[in-house]
Amino acid sequence: MRALIQRVTQASVEVDGALVGQTGPGLMILICAMEGDEDAKARQMAAKIAKLRIFQDDAGKMNLSLRDTGGSALVVSQFTLAADTRSGNRPGFSTAAPPGEGERLYHLFTEALRNEGIACETGRFGASMQVALVNDGPVTIWLDV
């Protein structure tokens, strides 16, 4: 699995002008299931993100996790994280999981994150979404598991 996480003060996602998910202070998580990913990868990614120490403590050091801060997450499926841009000018996405498997793993990841004690909302798999966020820091981290 592949994720792009951003520490945010707020984030939201709309579909057809309607709000479908939002978070206050916490994380915006763009997630992509890759071809060959299995359930264990989704659970491993959720555990890693829940414990990742990227929030500031009282001394101003990135020493706290999302669990520690009580923050929440907005999880949005983004198959374009699988983009292969090594040749030509048009990205290829053949390394992304097939849509049915990608959706299943997306939901499994979200449930695993909730099982880690993280409140989360989601976008809508496969929909054209408008995402808004305020990146805090800015802190943006790429993760592969």
Side-chain angles (χ1 to χ4, degrees), residues 63-94:
N63 209 19
L64 301 175
S65 70
L66 189 57
R67 273 186 183 166
D68 297 329
T69 66
S72 58
L74 177 59
V75 182
V76 174
S77 176
Q78 179 133 16
F79 81 94
T80 60
L81 292 178
D84 181 353
T85 59
R86 290 177 290 179
S87 65
N89 295 315
R90 183 177 179 182
F93 302 103
S94 62

Side-chain angles (χ1 to χ4, degrees), residues 46-54 64-68 116:
K48 176 81 171 177
I49 289 173
K51 298 173 199 162
L52 196 63
R53 298 182 333 177
I54 60 170
L64 301 175
S65 70
L66 189 57
R67 273 186 183 166
D68 297 329
E116 291 286 337

